[in-house]
Amino acid sequence: MLKSKTFVKKTRSGGVMKIVREHYLRDDIWCGSEACTECKQESTVLQTDACMESSLCSYPHYLIPDTNVVLHQVIFLRVTQKKKDVLTIKTSNALLETFIEREPGESANDRNDRAIRVAAKWYSQHLKTSESDTDGLKVVLLTNDQGNKQKAEESGLLYLFTCILVEEYIKSLTANPELVDRLALSNDDKNEITSSKVLFPEHLPLSRIQAGIKSGSFVQGTFRASRDNYLEATVFIQGEGEDGTEILIQGLQNLNRAVHQDVVAVQLLPRNQWVAPSSVVLQDEGAAKDDNVEEEEEEKAVNITARKATGKVVGIIKRNWRPFCGMLNVSQIKESTRHLFTPADRRIPRIRIETRQASTLAGQRIMVSIDGWPKDSRYPNGHFVRSLGGAGEKDTEQEVLLLEHDVPHQAFSQAVLNFLPKMPWAITPEDMVRREDLRHLTVCSVDPPGCTDIDDALHCRELENGNLEVGVHIADVSHFIRPGNALDKEAANRGTTVYLCGKRIDMVPELLSSNLCSLRSNVERLAFSCIWEMNHEAEILKTRFTKSVINSKASLTYAEAQMRIDDTNKNDDITKSLRGLNKLAKILKRQRIEKGALTLSSLEVRFHMDSETHDPIDLQTKELMETNSMVEEFMLLANISVAQKIYDEFQECALLRKHPAPPPSNYDILLKAAKSKDVAIYTDTAKALADSLDVAKVDGFPYFNTLLRILATRCMMQAVYFCSGMDNDFHHYGLASPIYTHFTSPIRRYADIIVHRLLAVAIGADSTYPDLMDKHKQSALCNNLNYRHKMAQYAQRASVAFHTQLFFKSRGILNEEGFVLFVRKNAIIVLIPKFGLEGTVFFDSKDKVAPSIVFDEEGPTLTIQQHTFRIFDKVKVTISLDASNIQHQKIRMALTDPVIPGVSVPVPDAEPQAKKPKLDR
């Protein structure tokens, strides 16, 4: 049935426009109940004997939740569905029998509430239930709103159905008392657990925020809380391109209840109120303050030139709340149901929740959602979602790590697995139609030990004309993953494979990642090949791209490949190919560096795991060999060659990767560190930086150059994917290349799959599809890939940190040599090269009288009782695991050398370490 409404509207030009709004009402939506004898339905979803053990509703009943329950109590709804409680939501706008018009002066919310009541009435009458029939099937309207319940009573409808507040219903479920903890707080509940004292300014309404942004009084940005100081944050204001600006926010009232990643409105403070970022490491670890915002203020005497644009949050445009992982701080008040939850992420404030399971949840990792943050509460209010397991347990901590970094890690669904090739799989004649047969070439792969997802393989041979042919052969993943199917969508969402210590979260199912796509030795595999003809000076004479079939002759580790190159007694085809590749790679690297490519440094660690317990038994920094550089050079060259090809063919929709030049202010700490050792560093261009790093040396301090490069790495911007039609700046700063992309790792990066598809279309090896040529969709895809790549990096670092803690757990207190990497107002950050480990040595311990401390921001230097610490100073520290806070276990460092009375600690006695299991079992 069609209902229509016609009205006229005056236009801006003064004319009159007739508007017709049509509303289609359906009469073919059946009730779904087994008890119904009227509807002509093929199947039913609602049982006749539907009943949960409720002290309020002892009879069989159907639940009809109102809009607020659906919006705010979604956790409860999921639980009731899992428990097969019967639930139905009638779409009142679409059904002929339940459609109602909005009355004059009636708000949209009131109209929706009335529509739900009409739907409940219709359902009750439809099922012919009545108040007197206590054993029959009844309808229960669940509401969050006292007003909705009152109107149901006033309208005399309760003889047809029962109306119950959702909280009352949940509390009546005698068999499921734990559901009470999962209730989101209502406004009445929120008011009950806050104080009468207003602690924060009122958030402005959205209408005023929008007007303020339009007039320039406010700016909109993303709120980024500090990990190191809970009283500080920045708001990122998106500008042209990738740059944007940041506004500093300091103090709880100026932070004004914003939570990390919220989109907020900020008002800039007058210039005379601008401040500098804090140099103090400050974390909210004390006992819960009872709604008291008065925090200890830092000294405000700062260098005026160091001040940044400073503002205050005046309103929230969009909340970015999610369920947070963490632990419960059980209240000291006996039998209290109100407790504080401490999130694992230090950027998230503690959350007040109500739970009757505190004794059970103590010591467990749990998930909690935020419901709201009133202006008279020191902390936001929330509710318990679910338990993850015992804190400190490896499986639990890994689950927390993946959830906190938003890493999709669920098993691949059957819908995804349905698009995998059927086994046994073999290359068919149809596969060979557009492929070149390269199975005769001496191709080999070189990878880290234990690698099973082998993306790339190489070959080098001499041609009859005296030149060299070099090939980079990449797994042809796009042959198996076709555009738009469930497998493709899942890979696009995951974006990247995530490598944790001892575990890999695959982007694609294992059948592809470790088998059919992996370029293992002595099996035929489909590849996408980039082949160059070069002279012996590594000058490229010809480049071609082809889909191919290869048969790798060897799967080598970096060490095995290096031994072959170095062993003068070996002269087989594989070894000759490796030597040719290595010789050319050295020339390519020298050419890149001459153009201004940066050679930076970061310490990576490798854990040796016990084969039975999977605990780390040894920890060492990774050593790079010539073969690491050899593979890297040809991967870079392939990526650059492919980038140029796809951009030449598709200037509007090529997926490329760029590395923006850092703003000059990023180099401040690097310049200060170099200056402290009387070394000059120039940062005008990438080449100037590279050249000055190459000659930066200090007599008697061989590790100085490595430290400088580690610090330079911290100054860099993040490289990002982008669509060529949406940007003008393609330059890759670190590689000193005008254009770049990712082509060489399609098993573990979705960006490479898109690049393969573009290249295949460019050479006529495959057909295109609409999304591939849509620059807006490509740009949206790039945003997801950048996000997934960043979160994968964070997850990997968190995994290394957790396993580092496990490594030190059984080793007591060690005394090791390190270097000062950063100087703070109350601490020094120390790097331990032996373990690739960073830690903080604090000098303002709350357990003893604080020593005399003078911080000079210009140096930066930190003077403690006549001893001055500078960046790159050599120190000795004790290293131990502090497990006093089970949620935030940390590596604790304390100074042993230099010896400063009242500050340094005694050198620990050398104790025999636990015997390490053999690694060659």
Side-chain angles (χ1 to χ4, degrees):
M1 178 180 174
L2 174 66
K3 289 179 71 74
S4 64
K5 182 187 289 185
T6 305
F7 58 95
V8 293
K9 180 181 178 182
K10 191 175 181 180
T11 65
R12 288 183 179 179
S13 60
V16 175
M17 179 187 295
K18 182 179 179 181
I19 295 177
V20 178
R21 284 187 180 166
E22 296 180 338
H23 208 118
Y24 293 89
L25 300 178
R26 298 175 59 179
D27 58 3
D28 60 344
I29 299 178
W30 315 125
C31 72
S33 172
E34 288 179 346
C36 177
T37 57
E38 294 184 15
C39 293
K40 301 171 184 176
Q41 48 200 0
E42 294 179 4
S43 61
T44 58
V45 292
L46 304 177
Q47 303 163 352
T48 305
D49 57 347
C51 188
M52 290 186 76
E53 295 180 37
S54 165
S55 58
L56 283 177
C57 307
S58 56
Y59 39 81
H61 55 279
Y62 292 163
L63 301 176
I64 299 185
D66 71 7
T67 313
N68 284 323
V69 173
V70 174
L71 289 175
H72 301 297
Q73 306 293 354
V74 66
I75 293 292
F76 156 66
L77 295 182
R78 287 176 186 158
V79 171
T80 53
Q81 283 175 315
K82 285 180 183 176
K83 292 179 178 292
K84 303 192 183 303
D85 180 27
V86 178
L87 169 70
T88 180
I89 305 168
K90 296 309 293 181
T91 50
S92 308
N93 280 345
L95 286 175
L96 181 62
E97 295 92 338
T98 59
F99 175 76
I100 61 169
E101 295 277 7
R102 186 170 166 185
E103 295 176 349
E106 187 178 37
S107 70
N109 186 62
D110 287 345
R111 182 254 164 223
N112 289 340
D113 284 346
R114 186 163 58 88
I116 294 289
R117 295 194 297 272
V118 169
K121 175 185 176 183
W122 175 85
Y123 226 111
S124 299
Q125 292 174 330
H126 181 73
L127 297 174
K128 297 183 172 60
T129 61
S130 67
E131 187 65 32
S132 58
D133 187 10
T134 54
D135 294 323
L137 189 60
K138 291 183 180 291
V139 170
V140 174
L141 173 59
L142 284 185
T143 181
N144 246 8
D145 185 356
Q146 278 280 10
N148 193 14
K149 182 180 180 182
Q150 187 175 343
K151 286 178 181 175
E153 293 170 350
E154 292 171 354
S155 61
L157 293 175
L158 295 189
Y159 75 96
L160 288 170
F161 61 85
T162 305
C163 184
I164 303 176
L165 292 176
V166 66
E167 184 177 355
E168 294 173 354
Y169 182 80
I170 297 299
K171 287 179 178 177
S172 78
L173 299 177
T174 53
N176 305 96
E178 76 283 358
L179 291 184
V180 175
D181 291 348
R182 304 193 181 198
L183 278 171
L185 294 177
S186 66
N187 288 329
D188 293 339
D189 295 328
K190 292 171 190 174
N191 292 335
E192 278 181 27
I193 64 173
T194 57
S195 70
S196 57
K197 181 181 177 183
V198 175
L199 304 177
F200 295 99
E202 188 83 62
H203 286 150
L204 298 180
L206 197 56
S207 57
R208 280 193 61 189
I209 290 173
Q210 290 170 338
I213 291 172
K214 190 174 182 180
S215 68
S217 305
F218 308 144
V219 289
Q220 174 179 325
T222 304
F223 184 86
R224 295 174 175 174
S226 168
R227 289 182 187 272
D228 297 324
N229 188 334
Y230 74 100
L231 295 176
E232 187 170 279
T234 55
V235 173
F236 180 76
I237 314 298
Q238 186 69 54
E240 292 295 323
E242 295 293 326
D243 299 334
T245 56
E246 285 187 336
I247 295 175
L248 183 65
I249 314 288
Q250 276 189 358
L252 279 176
Q253 290 201 331
N254 288 340
L255 296 173
N256 198 9
R257 297 169 285 154
V259 175
H260 184 63
Q261 292 296 332
D262 283 350
V263 179
V264 299
V266 172
Q267 182 178 31
L268 275 175
L269 297 175
R271 278 184 173 270
N272 62 359
Q273 294 181 33
W274 288 11
V275 295
S278 172
S279 298
V280 170
V281 180
L282 188 62
Q283 289 168 349
D284 186 8
E285 291 184 330
K289 297 178 180 69
D290 192 14
D291 291 331
N292 182 8
V293 182
E294 295 172 10
E295 305 288 344
E296 187 177 327
E297 289 292 324
E298 297 177 41
E299 56 182 286
K300 296 295 182 184
V302 296
N303 186 340
I304 291 176
T305 59
R307 290 180 175 174
K308 291 183 64 173
T310 308
K312 63 180 180 180
V313 174
V314 296
I316 308 295
I317 297 171
K318 181 185 177 186
R319 288 292 193 188
N320 198 38
W321 295 343
R322 59 177 173 82
F324 299 105
C325 302
M327 292 185 70
L328 196 66
N329 289 6
V330 178
S331 172
Q332 300 302 306
I333 302 172
K334 193 177 180 181
E335 297 184 5
S336 174
T337 59
R338 291 173 184 165
H339 309 273
L340 273 180
F341 164 83
T342 302
D345 187 342
R346 292 187 182 276
R347 296 170 299 183
I348 307 301
R350 287 187 281 182
I351 303 166
R352 272 208 185 87
I353 69 166
E354 284 206 43
T355 177
R356 290 150 187 80
Q357 306 176 68
S359 58
T360 305
L361 299 179
Q364 291 198 4
R365 291 281 200 172
I366 64 173
M367 293 185 77
V368 163
S369 284
I370 297 178
D371 298 323
W373 195 342
K375 63 185 176 181
D376 46 5
S377 175
R378 169 68 173 80
Y379 298 109
N381 302 319
H383 66 275
F384 167 72
V385 176
R386 67 185 175 102
S387 174
L388 299 170
E393 295 175 7
K394 240 185 316 187
D395 288 345
T396 301
E397 296 303 325
Q398 191 159 264
E399 178 75 5
V400 169
L401 186 156
L402 294 169
L403 288 168
E404 282 296 291
H405 295 97
D406 197 16
V407 175
H409 58 286
Q410 68 280 4
F412 289 100
S413 69
Q414 191 57 50
V416 169
L417 299 177
N418 287 341
F419 285 95
L420 292 175
K422 300 295 182 284
M423 297 299 288
W425 174 85
I427 297 172
T428 65
E430 291 76 18
D431 293 331
M432 297 297 298
V433 172
R434 294 182 178 178
R435 291 184 184 274
E436 197 169 329
D437 190 345
L438 303 180
R439 287 174 285 192
H440 61 286
L441 294 179
T442 306
V443 173
C444 68
S445 62
V446 184
D447 291 284
C451 179
T452 61
D453 52 343
I454 303 172
D455 287 285
D456 56 89
L458 305 110
H459 88 272
C460 177
R461 64 172 179 166
E462 190 161 347
L463 299 175
E464 291 181 358
N465 61 8
N467 291 329
L468 298 171
E469 179 187 85
V470 176
V472 167
H473 311 277
I474 306 300
D476 189 6
V477 182
S478 62
H479 172 84
F480 298 95
I481 301 180
R482 303 309 296 167
N485 67 25
L487 177 57
D488 182 48
K489 289 176 181 177
E490 181 67 22
N493 177 50
R494 294 189 179 215
T496 180
T497 292
V498 181
Y499 295 90
L500 307 179
C501 299
K503 185 179 178 69
R504 189 180 78 203
I505 312 295
D506 281 326
M507 182 184 78
V508 298
E510 190 176 16
L511 178 63
L512 297 183
S513 65
S514 295
N515 188 351
L516 301 185
C517 292
S518 184
L519 304 183
R520 301 185 299 185
S521 56
N522 302 313
V523 290
E524 295 180 355
R525 287 290 178 258
L526 302 179
F528 210 150
S529 301
C530 175
I531 301 172
W532 304 277
E533 183 177 336
M534 295 180 174
N535 61 25
H536 288 264
E537 286 70 48
E539 293 173 331
I540 298 173
L541 306 175
K542 293 179 184 175
T543 304
R544 66 188 180 92
F545 308 97
T546 180
K547 293 255 185 169
S548 61
V549 178
I550 65 168
N551 188 320
S552 173
K553 303 303 184 283
S555 298
L556 306 173
T557 66
Y558 290 116
E560 289 169 345
Q562 191 67 54
M563 284 190 286
R564 279 178 173 267
I565 291 170
D566 296 340
D567 188 347
T568 54
N569 295 319
K570 281 191 176 290
N571 207 29
D572 56 273
D573 288 345
I574 294 173
T575 304
K576 286 193 287 188
S577 177
L578 289 169
R579 286 182 184 140
L581 290 165
N582 196 41
K583 181 182 175 183
L584 291 169
K586 290 178 181 178
I587 299 170
L588 290 169
K589 185 172 184 178
R590 188 183 70 242
Q591 291 172 350
R592 279 198 311 109
I593 291 172
E594 286 171 357
K595 291 177 183 176
L598 297 173
T599 304
L600 301 176
S601 182
S602 62
L603 293 179
E604 292 186 64
V605 298
R606 180 181 298 281
F607 293 95
H608 293 283
M609 302 290 194
D610 185 287
S611 59
E612 294 172 5
T613 66
H614 301 292
D615 285 337
I617 55 177
D618 199 11
L619 168 62
Q620 55 190 216
T621 53
K622 293 181 184 177
E623 291 185 19
L624 298 181
M625 304 176 183
E626 277 187 359
T627 45
N628 289 82
S629 179
M630 175 190 79
V631 173
E632 181 184 21
E633 287 305 316
F634 286 107
M635 297 305 109
L636 293 176
L637 188 62
N639 287 334
I640 292 169
S641 298
V642 170
Q644 193 61 60
K645 176 68 175 178
I646 62 173
Y647 179 64
D648 289 343
E649 293 288 334
F650 308 109
Q651 296 196 357
E652 285 293 300
C653 59
L655 193 154
L656 303 175
R657 186 165 177 83
K658 70 173 182 175
H659 183 212
S665 59
N666 277 30
Y667 289 120
D668 288 350
I669 192 66
L670 177 67
L671 298 175
K672 287 179 179 179
K675 186 179 178 182
S676 71
K677 301 295 181 185
D678 296 321
V679 170
I681 294 291
Y682 302 99
T683 60
D684 301 339
T685 63
K687 180 162 177 55
L689 175 60
D691 290 345
S692 55
L693 285 172
D694 285 342
V695 298
K697 292 178 176 61
V698 172
D699 292 339
F701 192 176
Y703 202 64
F704 171 74
N705 191 267
T706 301
L707 286 170
L708 211 56
R709 291 181 190 274
I710 289 172
L711 210 53
T713 304
R714 311 288 177 92
C715 300
M716 294 297 119
M717 303 291 284
Q718 183 76 38
V720 291
Y721 298 109
F722 69 102
C723 177
S724 58
M726 304 291 283
D727 209 326
N728 296 318
D729 178 18
F730 294 6
H731 189 72
H732 197 291
Y733 180 80
L735 297 175
S737 176
I739 195 167
Y740 192 67
T741 194
H742 272 162
F743 164 75
T744 54
S745 295
I747 293 177
R748 62 184 178 89
R749 292 187 307 230
Y750 187 77
D752 302 52
I753 293 178
I754 296 295
V755 170
H756 276 227
R757 290 172 180 170
L758 288 165
L759 183 61
V761 175
I763 65 171
D766 206 344
S767 55
T768 186
Y769 57 98
D771 284 5
L772 193 66
M773 298 295 136
D774 187 325
K775 65 180 182 180
H776 297 287
K777 289 187 177 177
Q778 286 279 46
S779 186
L781 173 64
C782 287
N783 289 338
N784 181 60
L785 296 180
N786 290 330
Y787 170 72
R788 292 295 189 201
H789 182 72
K790 179 175 67 175
M791 298 313 286
Q793 285 183 319
Y794 292 161
Q796 286 158 209
R797 291 174 196 167
S799 181
V800 168
F802 175 65
H803 281 78
T804 302
Q805 291 169 7
L806 289 180
F807 174 75
F808 282 104
K809 191 173 185 178
S810 60
R811 280 165 175 75
I813 301 176
L814 305 181
N815 190 43
E816 298 291 345
E817 185 178 88
F819 298 94
V820 177
L821 204 54
F822 299 103
V823 176
R824 299 286 186 252
K825 190 177 286 188
N826 62 336
I828 55 174
I829 315 296
V830 177
L831 173 71
I832 311 296
K834 179 179 177 180
F835 298 124
L837 177 68
E838 281 180 42
T840 305
V841 178
F842 289 96
F843 295 119
D844 59 351
S845 172
K846 294 165 185 162
D847 302 329
K848 52 189 176 184
V849 178
S852 169
I853 298 178
V854 178
F855 176 69
D856 177 13
E857 193 172 14
E858 280 302 297
T861 62
L862 186 65
T863 301
I864 302 173
Q865 297 181 7
Q866 283 74 56
H867 183 90
T868 300
F869 290 97
R870 295 176 176 83
I871 294 177
F872 298 162
D873 280 359
K874 187 183 290 188
V875 295
K876 282 193 173 181
V877 296
T878 60
I879 308 173
S880 60
L881 178 66
D882 179 1
S884 58
N885 181 338
I886 193 170
Q887 166 151 261
H888 291 129
Q889 295 186 52
K890 65 181 76 172
I891 300 298
R892 182 76 70 186
M893 292 188 182
L895 189 70
T896 60
D897 187 35
V899 177
I900 304 174
V903 174
S904 19
V905 300
V907 177
D909 294 332
E911 295 181 8
Q913 294 186 17
K915 187 176 180 181
K916 297 177 185 177
K918 291 182 180 179
L919 301 179
D920 56 346
R921 49 172 91 186

